Amino acid sequence: MRCNSIFSVLSCLVASTAAFTVTNKMNPLSTTALPMVANAEVGGQVNGQMKRRRTKEERIEAASKGLQVHVVGLSIHHASVEVREKLAIAEAEWNAASQDIIADGTVAEASVLSTCNRFEVYYSAADARQAMASVTKYLAQRSGLPVSLLRKNLFMLEGDDAVWHIMRVAGGLDSLVVGEGQILSQVRQCHLHSIEEDGCGGKVLSRMLNQAVAAGKRVRSETAISKGSVSISSAATELSQAMCLQDLNLPFSEARLAVIGAGTMTRLLITHLASHGLERITIVNRSMGRPKELQEQFPDLDIEIKLVDELWDVIGRSDIVYTATSSVDPIIDKQLLQEHGLDGGRPMMLVDISVPRNIAEDAKNVDNIA
C-alpha cells in the first residue's frame, strides 16, 4: 500500500506494529485510559539498594500475562529546562537506567531516550498501575524532585497513543523544529541500545522502536517534511547572527567565535556556521581527540584547539561563546565571570545549546553578557 501523506505513512507503521503484537499474543495497543498515579509512594534509597533479579520462571509468568506498552517522560512541550535537566542521562548510561527500571520485576521491558529536548522512558508491563508507580518512583529518586512536582511536568501515554507518540518523535513532528533530522538518529540509537546484550528492550519494545525508525525514514523520503528544516544548532547560528550587530555592535563575520565541547552538537554547529561563511573558530575540550577529528572533517576552516585549562583565556578573547558539553553542572556562571574579570567590560554573547545547561541562569544578570 502506498502512503503519500505524513500521517498515512505513520498509520501504516502503527498498523504493522499492532499486527506484530497480536501475532505474539500480547496487547500493548490497548487504548484504555491510564489514570495518573497521583499518590504514588516514593521512598527508599536512590542508589544504595541492590534489587533482586527475576528468575526465569518469573519472567515467563510475566510474559504470559500479556504486556501493554507505555511511555512516560518530559519534553519541551511539557516541562521547563530546569526540570528536564534533572533527568538528563548520557547515552552511555541509557541501558544502566533501563536495568534499574526493570529491576524489581514490575516492568518487563524498558528503554530510555534522553536528548536535549526530551527525556522519555518506553516500557511494557502486565500491570499498568503498578508499573507506573514503579517508574514514577524511579524518576523521583533519580531527579531528587518530589513526585508532586514531577506530576505537573510528566506526560503519560499507553497503547496506541504511546505507539503514535514514538512514531511522531521519529518523524520529527514532535521536535522543537519540525522535521529536524537529529532525532531520527537518536531514536535509532535508542533501538540499538535496547537490543544490546545489556539492553532491556525485549520483543515488544524492540519491534516498536525498529518500526519507529522505519517510520522516520519513510516520512522523510516520501514527504517534504525535511525540506528547509533546521536543528537546534542551526537555530543557534541564525540567532547569534541576527543578534550580533545589536548586542555586540559588530558584524557577525568579524566576531571571534569559540565553542566549548566537541561532540555531535559541536559538529552540527560548525557545519551551519561554515555555511554562513565561518573561517575561524576555537574549540575548547577536555582532550584533543575529537577536536582533531573535527579539524579533519572541516579542512577548509581554521580550527584552533585549546584544552580546558585555557577555558577562561579563550572566553575572555571571544565575542560569541557557544557551549555544548555533557557536563551535568554549569561551567559558566555569574561568579566565575566576575572572578575572571569579564563583568562590566566589552559586550559578549553566550549561547547555550546543552541540556543540562552549561550556562547558569544568573549569568544573564551580568551587564555586558547577552
Side-chain angles (χ1 to χ4, degrees):
M1 177 173 62
R2 178 68 175 175
C3 303
N4 296 315
S5 71
I6 294 173
F7 289 102
S8 61
V9 169
L10 297 182
S11 296
C12 291
L13 274 298
V14 170
S16 176
T17 303
F20 168 81
T21 55
V22 169
T23 301
N24 283 270
K25 298 183 180 180
M26 296 181 180
N27 185 25
L29 300 182
S30 168
T31 56
T32 303
L34 176 64
M36 179 80 73
V37 184
N39 296 314
E41 184 177 343
V42 179
Q45 299 180 20
V46 176
N47 294 313
Q49 181 175 320
M50 296 296 293
K51 298 180 180 179
R52 182 181 68 85
R53 286 190 173 276
R54 293 174 295 165
T55 65
K56 181 179 180 180
E57 290 74 19
E58 289 172 330
R59 293 196 301 270
I60 292 174
E61 181 182 357
S64 67
K65 293 181 180 178
L67 302 178
Q68 293 179 316
V69 66
H70 308 262
V71 59
V72 58
L74 311 164
S75 78
I76 52 172
H77 308 299
H78 307 90
S80 65
V81 67
E82 290 85 358
V83 176
R84 298 200 315 271
E85 65 187 1
K86 297 288 187 181
L87 282 169
I89 300 177
E91 184 179 333
E93 300 175 17
W94 287 1
N95 281 356
S98 299
Q99 291 169 9
D100 289 340
I101 292 170
I102 70 168
D104 66 358
T106 305
V107 174
E109 305 173 354
S111 188
V112 170
L113 174 65
S114 181
T115 74
C116 291
N117 292 322
R118 68 183 67 249
F119 171 83
E120 298 175 351
V121 177
Y122 294 89
Y123 66 94
S124 63
D127 188 317
R129 187 179 295 273
Q130 287 187 11
M132 179 55 66
S134 177
V135 174
T136 304
K137 176 181 177 180
Y138 168 79
L139 296 179
Q141 289 177 338
R142 182 175 182 90
S143 66
L145 298 173
V147 69
S148 58
L149 178 58
L150 278 176
R151 284 204 309 269
K152 297 177 182 178
N153 292 274
L154 288 175
F155 69 89
M156 303 177 182
L157 301 171
E158 75 161 0
D160 279 335
D161 292 335
V163 176
W164 269 104
H165 176 74
I166 185 58
M167 299 294 178
R168 287 175 53 85
V169 169
L173 293 174
D174 198 61
S175 297
L176 178 63
V177 181
V178 174
E180 58 97 0
Q182 189 177 5
I183 187 60
L184 177 57
S185 174
Q186 292 163 335
V187 172
R188 179 176 180 271
Q189 290 303 112
C190 181
H191 169 246
L192 292 177
H193 287 306
S194 75
I195 60 177
E196 291 174 342
E197 184 175 352
D198 61 341
C200 305
K203 289 185 177 180
V204 175
L205 284 189
S206 60
R207 174 72 178 196
M208 183 185 73
L209 293 170
N210 186 46
Q211 291 290 75
V213 174
K217 291 178 179 178
R218 287 188 60 182
V219 162
R220 288 167 174 79
S221 64
E222 298 181 19
T223 75
I225 191 172
S226 296
K227 187 176 182 180
S229 66
V230 294
S231 66
I232 299 299
S233 298
S234 63
T237 300
E238 297 286 350
L239 176 65
S240 54
Q241 183 181 36
M243 301 301 294
C244 188
L245 192 61
Q246 174 182 324
D247 291 341
L248 305 182
N249 198 31
L250 80 163
F252 187 69
S253 59
E254 297 179 11
R256 294 166 294 183
L257 309 183
V259 58
I260 306 171
T264 301
M265 294 296 285
T266 294
R267 176 178 58 80
L268 294 173
L269 176 68
I270 293 177
T271 299
H272 293 293
L273 288 171
S275 70
H276 286 72
L278 171 72
E279 296 180 353
R280 176 183 172 83
I281 191 168
T282 301
I283 297 177
V284 181
N285 199 49
R286 291 176 298 180
S287 61
M288 301 292 286
R290 285 190 173 182
K292 285 187 176 296
E293 292 177 3
L294 291 171
Q295 280 183 326
E296 295 174 358
Q297 293 176 31
F298 299 94
D300 296 332
L301 300 182
D302 181 5
I303 297 178
E304 181 184 24
I305 301 174
K306 296 292 184 180
L307 296 178
V308 290
D309 56 353
E310 298 183 78
L311 171 65
W312 287 99
D313 290 335
V314 172
I315 293 176
R317 58 182 169 84
S318 300
D319 298 305
I320 302 176
V321 178
Y322 304 90
T323 59
T325 81
S326 58
S327 173
V328 297
D329 298 311
I331 58 177
I332 298 175
D333 60 22
K334 180 178 180 179
Q335 181 178 343
L336 288 171
L337 288 167
Q338 292 173 338
E339 288 177 358
H340 290 87
L342 298 178
D343 59 322
R346 61 178 179 78
M348 178 188 304
M349 184 185 298
L350 303 179
V351 184
D352 193 348
I353 56 176
S354 301
V355 174
R357 290 173 293 180
N358 289 168
I359 302 174
E361 185 75 11
D362 63 2
K364 66 182 181 182
N365 297 327
V366 178
D367 291 339
N368 58 308
I369 301 296

